[in-house]
Amino acid sequence: MFFSFTSFLFLLGLLLLAASIRVVQEYERGVIFRLGRCVGARGPGLFLLIPLIERMRKVDLRVVTMEVPTQEVITRDNVTVKVNAVVYFRVINPVDAVIKVIDPVHATSQLAQTTLRSVLGQSELDELLAHREAINQRLQQIIDEGTEPWGIKVSMVEVRDVELPASMQRAMAAQAEAERERRAKIIHAEGELQAAEKLAEAARIIAREPVTVQLRYLQTLREIAADNASTIVFPLPLDLIRSLFNKRADG
């Protein structure tokens, strides 16, 4: 009888010891409650709890990558777009994350969705497409301020995809095509202007030295004569004939 009672006590002691031993990983913290009152966080490592008096709730401190579901947003210039985002956050105060919010991940997700619709609703479409980094910083700041009382730090928010209506895509494509045509016309006009300036400069040189016309004429004939398979009929300049007659008359 004494052996049985001793065995019972020994077994009970082992059970109580097993129930009081807790192991917390390096990336976790254990929030301890003693008779319902929070007494702080412990870990990482091995420690003991008072059986039936203390209980522990583990909190993961690693970065959580949360995808914000696609939200349909109307921008400030009345364009309907579908946007989704990614939020990176982690718990920095495990006690607040346990006692101040039921589910910190779900609460952060709901706050991120609301903030995404609010911020993008105050932005124009061009700002959303061209200045996405500034919008990301604004989203991160607002969400971080909202989750700070919960012991959560939002490190980064990235707007990932922006889906435009088909009509808006066609309008933007037409705008881009018109912009390219405008640039092409400007470049062509600038080329014509430079060519005209060079021709005007050449005309001024020719006006000072008339013989350059004949030199240019002979150079053109030489370029044409490079192809021996062609028969070329060309007019003879009167100035050249007149100069030949003048030489014969002088002779």
Side-chain angles (χ1 to χ4, degrees):
M1 184 67 180
F2 176 75
F3 178 77
S4 299
F5 183 73
T6 304
S7 300
F8 173 75
L9 292 179
F10 180 74
L11 181 60
L12 181 61
L14 289 179
L15 291 176
L16 291 176
L17 180 62
S20 63
I21 294 177
R22 292 292 185 271
V23 177
V24 176
Q25 304 296 331
E26 181 67 30
Y27 54 84
E28 295 177 330
R29 294 295 182 271
V31 180
I32 308 300
F33 292 89
R34 182 178 300 158
L35 297 177
R37 180 182 293 274
C38 180
V39 295
R42 297 181 187 176
L46 174 67
F47 53 90
L48 299 177
L49 298 179
I50 301 176
L52 304 178
I53 295 178
E54 292 182 342
R55 65 181 182 89
M56 182 187 71
R57 180 173 174 181
K58 291 183 179 180
V59 179
D60 198 321
L61 302 183
R62 291 176 293 183
V63 174
V64 178
T65 303
M66 182 185 64
E67 181 176 356
V68 180
T70 301
Q71 304 294 311
E72 188 169 349
V73 181
I74 300 178
T75 61
R76 190 168 63 181
D77 48 352
N78 297 323
V79 179
T80 302
V81 296
K82 293 182 179 180
V83 183
N84 62 359
V86 180
V87 180
Y88 301 87
F89 65 94
R90 65 185 183 91
V91 176
I92 60 175
N93 191 329
V95 174
D96 290 342
V98 171
I99 67 177
K100 292 187 177 181
V101 61
I102 297 178
D103 188 345
V105 176
H106 179 70
T108 303
S109 174
Q110 295 300 312
L111 179 61
Q113 295 179 37
T114 304
T115 306
L116 182 64
R117 290 193 297 267
S118 175
V119 171
L120 297 186
Q122 299 173 5
S123 305
E124 295 185 355
L125 179 61
D126 292 340
E127 183 180 359
L128 175 60
L129 298 177
H131 303 90
R132 188 174 298 183
E133 185 63 29
I135 293 179
N136 291 338
Q137 293 179 1
R138 196 187 316 167
L139 287 170
Q140 184 268 334
Q141 181 180 2
I142 296 175
I143 299 174
D144 186 45
E145 291 176 355
T147 58
E148 184 179 1
W150 307 335
I152 295 176
K153 173 63 178 178
V154 178
S155 58
M156 187 184 305
V157 179
E158 292 287 340
V159 175
R160 190 168 59 180
D161 295 326
V162 178
E163 182 179 348
L164 299 175
S167 58
M168 180 58 62
Q169 294 180 10
R170 291 192 296 268
M172 295 179 66
Q175 179 183 2
E177 183 178 358
E179 177 65 20
R180 287 193 296 268
E181 291 180 356
R182 183 184 69 86
R183 294 178 181 178
K185 291 179 179 179
I186 291 176
I187 293 174
H188 180 71
E190 290 178 351
E192 293 291 338
L193 176 61
Q194 294 177 3
E197 292 176 349
K198 294 299 182 181
L199 288 175
E201 183 179 356
R204 288 192 294 269
I205 296 174
I206 292 174
R208 293 195 303 267
E209 301 292 339
V211 71
T212 54
V213 176
Q214 297 181 7
L215 294 176
R216 181 59 181 164
Y217 180 75
L218 295 175
Q219 183 180 4
T220 303
L221 293 179
R222 180 181 177 183
E223 293 175 355
I224 296 175
D227 189 2
N228 297 326
S230 301
T231 301
I232 303 171
V233 179
F234 59 90
L236 193 63
L238 295 178
D239 295 339
L240 182 60
I241 298 176
R242 189 180 297 111
S243 61
L244 292 176
F245 281 125
N246 292 336
K247 289 181 179 179
R248 292 182 60 183
D250 294 339

